[in-house]
Amino acid sequence: MRPDLFQAPDYYLLDDLLSNEHKLIRDTARAWVKKEVSPIIEDFAQRAEFPKQLIPGLAEIGGFGPYIPTEYGGAGLDQISYGLIMQEIERGDSGIRSTSSVQSSLVMYPIWKYGNEEQRMKYLPKLATGEYIGCFGLTEPDHGSNPGGMLTNFKDMGDHYLLNGAKMWISNAPFADIAVVWAKNEEGRIHGLIVERGMEGFTTPETHNKWSLRASATGELIFDNVKVPKANLLPNKSGLGAPLGCLDSARYGIAWGAIGAAMDCYDTALRYSKERIQFDKPIGATQLQQKKLAEMITEITKAQLLTWRLGVLRDEGRATSAQISMAKRNNVAMALDIARDARQMLGGMGITGEYSIMRHMMNLESVVTYEGTHDIHLLITGMDVTGFPAFK
Ligand SMILES: Cc1cc2nc3c(=O)[nH]c(=O)nc-3n(C[C@H](O)[C@H](O)[C@H](O)COP(=O)(O)OP(=O)(O)OC[C@H]3O[C@@H](n4cnc5c(N)ncnc54)[C@H](O)[C@@H]3O)c2cc1C
């Protein structure tokens, strides 16, 4: 892969909306991605391997629990800072951002929000440093967009719970130390349980042959009569709203992350268009290529504004789940469109690992599907504006 020459586009001078602290956090993450992620990521993606050596650095830039209070080992940052960190990590690779999102919003968040003090003290500091890596088990083979239909269940055996079932498509599963697993009790109510690697009957087979998110490890979670201590049930929230609350936080981070991937594709295509000569002039001097670049920077700028505003609303405690859905859906589709156009602008070179674009494009095919598909988020917006749920 070529040297990382990334220069972030800021067409509407949105840096003016950021505090000095925001810029410092963003620039630290940006420099780390340039130094640690860009030189190795293509190789790890080609080999379909998660680069575990990035874990301590991810912790240092605030990639694990940026908004979790410092008393639990988190960075205690606001939502804009969290978003900026996700943007920079995904500028490097969506798979690395996935690990960061899962750890922060799908593992640390539920333990912080729905756990008791003992659980917080036991797990959060180790998750914040990356000593523990976590995963989040919601999706099942027969229940993806409709997780409320899940079959994974647990029974109260007096001194422990007995957990049975299977989860599929779980990021970080193959090497996670703990899993936050969503399962139904005997009354059919959904609860979160912390399952630890090493518990008898708990296995995590890896999912192979992905063309997307190749630098992220994906797997199954299989529970065959797993005895889970009663102390591992998250006591403070139950029902489908509990996992959905985690997804709000993760989807918000994805909305920012997708901008990072889009910025990288745009920046690469812009530079290439100035250097690549065909018919005795740079391809960037042709109207057709300028149309692509002009539309890219317009869409990136719109997404930056949408997402910054969403961050302000989240910091004020006013953002709705439907607003988060809109931003996730818009930004990931925007990034995917830009990746496809940017790929074409590089001609044959666009399909090689010399440039990051094809890897972003393939990664985004997962990002547009996980954490609520593109269509499901549209249905959420539709329901929000009409009042009619059209899911069934
Ligand atoms: C790489 C990767 C990593 C993932 N990581 C995790 C993870 O860490 N934890 C986790 O729990 N899950 C994870 N997922 C699962 C992901 O969230 C699901 O794939 C996603 O929710 C969609 O579910 P599904 O694949 O079963 O598709 P389905 O729900 O079967 O959907 C198939 C198609 O039907 C459409 N559809 C579904 N219902 C409707 C409807 N009512 N109306 C109109 N169209 C509809 C969908 O939009 C989609 O296009 C991951 C997935 C991938 C690919």
Side-chain angles (χ1 to χ4, degrees):
M1 196 172 152
R2 288 170 188 243
D4 181 352
L5 302 172
F6 178 68
Q7 287 189 315
D10 182 14
Y11 202 72
Y12 263 39
L13 311 182
L14 297 175
D15 260 21
D16 293 357
L17 299 173
L18 304 178
S19 67
N20 286 337
E21 192 191 6
H22 289 146
K23 284 185 250 187
L24 182 67
I25 289 162
R26 194 255 332 261
D27 293 346
T28 303
R30 184 169 292 169
W32 179 79
V33 167
K34 222 170 222 200
K35 184 162 174 275
E36 304 292 342
V37 180
S38 299
I40 62 151
I41 192 62
E42 183 62 32
D43 187 37
F44 276 81
Q46 293 279 3
R47 287 191 280 118
E49 186 182 335
F50 173 73
K52 285 191 183 150
Q53 71 268 33
L54 296 180
I55 288 174
L58 273 170
E60 267 168 40
I61 61 162
F64 296 150
Y67 52 81
I68 301 286
T70 50
E71 64 200 276
Y72 301 120
L77 300 173
D78 67 4
Q79 290 289 309
I80 299 278
S81 304
Y82 162 42
L84 288 165
I85 294 170
M86 294 301 115
Q87 172 186 285
E88 295 307 317
I89 298 175
E90 192 147 1
R91 207 280 296 173
D93 189 79
S94 306
I96 310 303
R97 198 269 308 135
S98 297
T99 288
S100 180
S101 287
V102 168
Q103 182 92 335
S104 301
S105 289
L106 302 181
V107 179
M108 296 178 77
Y109 180 90
I111 294 174
W112 172 45
K113 283 285 179 187
Y114 314 147
N116 57 32
E117 198 54 21
E118 206 185 325
Q119 292 165 339
R120 290 184 196 122
M121 295 311 293
K122 181 173 175 190
Y123 296 108
L124 292 178
K126 287 185 174 153
L127 289 161
T129 60
E131 185 182 338
Y132 279 178
I133 291 293
C135 67
F136 174 87
L138 180 66
T139 305
E140 298 188 351
D142 294 327
H143 298 91
S145 299
N146 175 26
M150 70 174 66
L151 299 175
T152 301
N153 64 88
F154 63 98
K155 287 196 174 88
D156 190 335
M157 306 302 281
D159 61 342
H160 64 270
Y161 297 119
L162 201 63
L163 179 66
N164 278 290
K167 300 287 178 181
M168 195 178 175
W169 296 118
I170 308 305
S171 304
N172 297 351
F175 60 89
D177 301 285
I178 64 167
V180 170
V181 176
W182 300 95
K184 285 181 178 165
N185 67 9
E186 284 143 290
E187 287 80 50
R189 182 117 186 122
I190 294 171
H191 287 268
L193 297 157
I194 303 169
V195 180
E196 298 184 14
R197 184 170 296 283
M199 287 181 176
E200 210 180 321
F202 174 43
T203 49
T204 60
E206 184 157 1
T207 303
H208 294 289
N209 298 333
K210 291 180 298 165
W211 283 113
S212 176
L213 289 189
R214 288 174 62 78
S216 162
T218 313
E220 295 167 58
L221 304 177
I222 296 172
F223 314 105
D224 181 9
N225 286 321
V226 181
K227 286 183 182 174
V228 181
K230 286 202 153 171
N232 286 27
L233 182 110
L234 298 175
N236 294 332
K237 188 155 173 144
S238 63
L240 191 58
L244 292 184
C246 308
L247 291 176
D248 267 1
S249 178
R251 290 166 177 172
Y252 166 74
I254 292 170
W256 280 93
I259 297 175
M263 291 199 304
D264 197 49
C265 293
Y266 164 77
D267 179 61
T268 304
L270 177 62
R271 193 171 306 107
Y272 192 85
S273 77
K274 293 176 184 172
E275 291 166 359
R276 177 69 177 165
I277 310 290
Q278 288 295 291
F279 300 98
D280 303 322
K281 64 177 183 180
I283 59 168
T286 66
Q287 288 187 351
L288 278 175
Q289 304 314 317
Q290 286 186 12
K291 176 175 186 292
K292 289 194 181 80
L293 290 165
E295 284 175 353
M296 285 181 202
I297 192 62
T298 306
E299 291 307 314
I300 288 172
T301 305
K302 283 154 66 179
Q304 285 171 328
L305 278 162
L306 179 78
T307 314
W308 174 81
R309 176 63 185 154
L310 185 64
V312 171
L313 290 176
R314 269 182 75 78
D315 275 327
E316 293 172 358
R318 292 199 292 149
T320 65
S321 300
Q323 287 168 337
I324 295 167
S325 280
M326 179 185 282
K328 192 268 183 186
R329 179 175 185 273
N330 179 77
N331 292 9
V332 179
M334 171 280 297
L336 198 45
D337 286 346
I338 286 178
R340 287 170 180 154
D341 275 350
R343 216 281 315 141
Q344 288 193 49
M345 285 187 66
L346 266 68
M349 287 312 291
I351 71 153
T352 71
E354 283 289 293
Y355 294 89
S356 55
I357 296 175
M358 187 84 177
R359 178 168 43 79
H360 282 307
M361 191 178 105
M362 297 197 303
N363 283 342
L364 289 162
E365 290 290 348
S366 285
V367 183
V368 81
T369 288
Y370 72 18
E371 305 264 355
T373 68
H374 187 70
D375 287 343
I376 291 294
H377 285 298
L378 177 128
L379 294 179
I380 291 171
T381 306
M383 178 174 69
D384 197 47
V385 296
T386 66
F388 303 124
F391 298 94
K392 287 188 182 173

